[in-house]
Amino acid sequence: MEITLHSIGIIHSPFNEKDQTPIQSSRSQAIGLVELYLEFADGLNGIEDLSHIHLLYIFHESSGYALQVKPFLDDQEHGIFATRYPCRPNPIGLSTVRLVSRRDNFLTIEGVDVLDGTPLLDIKPYVPDFDHRTDVRVGWYETRSKK
Amino acid sequence: MEITLHSIGIIHSPFNEKDQTPIQSSRSQAIGLVELYLEFADGLNGIEDLSHIHLLYIFHESSGYALQVKPFLDDQEHGIFATRYPCRPNPIGLSTVRLVSRRDNFLTIEGVDVLDGTPLLDIKPYVPDFDHRTDVRVGWYETRSKK
């Protein structure tokens, strides 16, 4: 099955170079701005009451993909689906950021880890009752994911 | 910007009707089977060492979208981006499930909350260091997200 998606906005960030961009939002204190296209602004109603949101977006600067990759945090190869590496068969990124404020169709966020100009696909509320798991094993990330 | 995505596999589940389908993976103990198309199987290398994975997929049975919706858990309207409701401008779903086992291009998962035959877009590792947030406010979910 194929599906054509259209961006619903733009993520503005301080990062213009891949190698300056934080590898995860959890490691970033950078402030960014989510600009939703005006036609979608009403979809933000109530979002001010949330402290954290998931952003889904296109890795627009990644071209092509590999099934075995050396991720930023390791010097060993892993299957792409055991990593968060951007060069994926479907180049969709997921970041969880803190929502600082909303003004009309603009969201100020903290913890941005994407390139400036990243096309936004979706915003979802982060809800610990849904999103938090315990007793987790993380494989090769075990010694690599610590700050 | 528009982008055309192709499914990389199929999620098989026990659920054939929307109203029988759990509203979140965190509320489901159902067993499902992720079938990755064979050409992508090598991308799973190393995934056996992970206990939990994010699945990104298409809400293939949702048609169109609304900016104000009454989600399953509430009788009040909220902006679509303050909810996890499936009828979204870009109908992409996100579920975090437990990985029970891998065999070749098949993953047995626990906590499936999607319809049988759901087209899969991506698999990402769930890594608490990246994905877990504390001091979270969840707005209207506050009294609604408890099991």
Side-chain angles (χ1 to χ4, degrees):
Chain A
M1 180 177 179
E2 72 173 43
I3 184 172
T4 298
L5 303 176
H6 300 263
S7 59
I8 59 169
I10 300 280
I11 308 175
H12 302 279
S13 92
F15 307 114
N16 288 299
E17 304 289 339
K18 292 180 192 178
D19 60 6
Q20 298 170 354
T21 307
I23 62 155
Q24 286 291 328
S25 49
S26 56
R27 297 180 176 209
S28 171
Q29 282 90 46
I31 297 293
L33 193 65
V34 174
E35 176 184 3
L36 211 68
Y37 298 138
L38 266 177
E39 64 195 280
F40 300 111
D42 286 348
L44 294 175
N45 290 344
I47 208 163
E48 309 87 333
D49 299 329
L50 306 170
S51 65
H52 292 75
I53 51 177
H54 296 297
L55 303 178
L56 294 176
Y57 50 84
I58 303 172
F59 286 121
H60 64 302
E61 294 285 341
S62 88
S63 58
Y65 70 90
L67 294 179
Q68 305 297 320
V69 298
K70 259 186 217 173
F72 304 117
L73 291 172
D74 206 357
D75 53 7
Q76 303 293 312
E77 285 202 334
H78 303 277
I80 183 75
F81 302 118
T83 80
R84 307 275 280 242
Y85 200 73
C87 300
R88 318 181 70 79
N90 288 308
I92 308 176
L94 168 67
S95 295
T96 306
V97 298
R98 192 168 78 79
L99 177 59
V100 178
S101 62
R102 173 194 172 190
R103 181 163 180 172
D104 302 327
N105 58 319
F106 288 91
L107 302 178
T108 300
I109 57 171
E110 181 184 292
V112 66
D113 65 336
V114 302
L115 286 167
D116 188 42
T118 290
L120 179 68
L121 291 176
D122 198 10
I123 300 172
K124 298 181 193 290
Y126 175 81
V127 181
D129 286 337
F130 302 157
D131 292 315
H132 183 203
R133 297 293 183 278
T134 53
D135 297 322
V136 175
R137 281 182 299 107
V138 294
W140 70 271
Y141 279 106
E142 184 61 37
T143 57
R144 304 284 177 176
S145 62
K146 309 298 178 195
K147 281 188 193 178
Chain B
M1 181 177 180
E2 72 172 43
I3 185 173
T4 299
L5 304 176
H6 300 263
S7 59
I8 59 169
I10 300 280
I11 308 174
H12 303 278
S13 92
F15 307 114
N16 288 299
E17 304 290 339
K18 291 181 192 177
D19 61 7
Q20 298 169 354
T21 306
I23 62 155
Q24 287 290 329
S25 49
S26 56
R27 296 180 177 211
S28 171
Q29 282 91 46
I31 298 293
L33 192 65
V34 175
E35 177 184 1
L36 210 69
Y37 298 139
L38 265 177
E39 64 193 284
F40 299 111
D42 286 348
L44 295 175
N45 290 345
I47 207 162
E48 310 85 334
D49 299 330
L50 306 169
S51 65
H52 292 75
I53 52 177
H54 296 297
L55 303 178
L56 295 175
Y57 50 85
I58 303 172
F59 287 121
H60 65 302
E61 294 286 341
S62 88
S63 58
Y65 68 90
L67 293 179
Q68 306 297 321
V69 298
K70 260 187 216 172
F72 303 117
L73 290 172
D74 206 358
D75 52 7
Q76 303 292 313
E77 286 202 334
H78 303 277
I80 184 74
F81 302 117
T83 79
R84 307 275 280 242
Y85 200 73
C87 300
R88 319 181 71 79
N90 288 310
I92 307 176
L94 169 67
S95 296
T96 306
V97 298
R98 191 168 78 79
L99 176 58
V100 178
S101 62
R102 173 195 173 191
R103 181 164 181 171
D104 303 325
N105 58 318
F106 288 90
L107 303 177
T108 300
I109 57 172
E110 181 184 295
V112 66
D113 65 337
V114 302
L115 286 167
D116 188 42
T118 290
L120 178 69
L121 291 176
D122 199 8
I123 300 172
K124 299 181 192 289
Y126 175 81
V127 181
D129 286 338
F130 303 157
D131 292 313
H132 183 203
R133 297 293 183 279
T134 53
D135 296 323
V136 175
R137 282 183 297 107
V138 293
W140 71 270
Y141 278 107
E142 184 61 38
T143 56
R144 305 282 177 177
S145 62
K146 308 299 177 195
K147 282 186 196 180

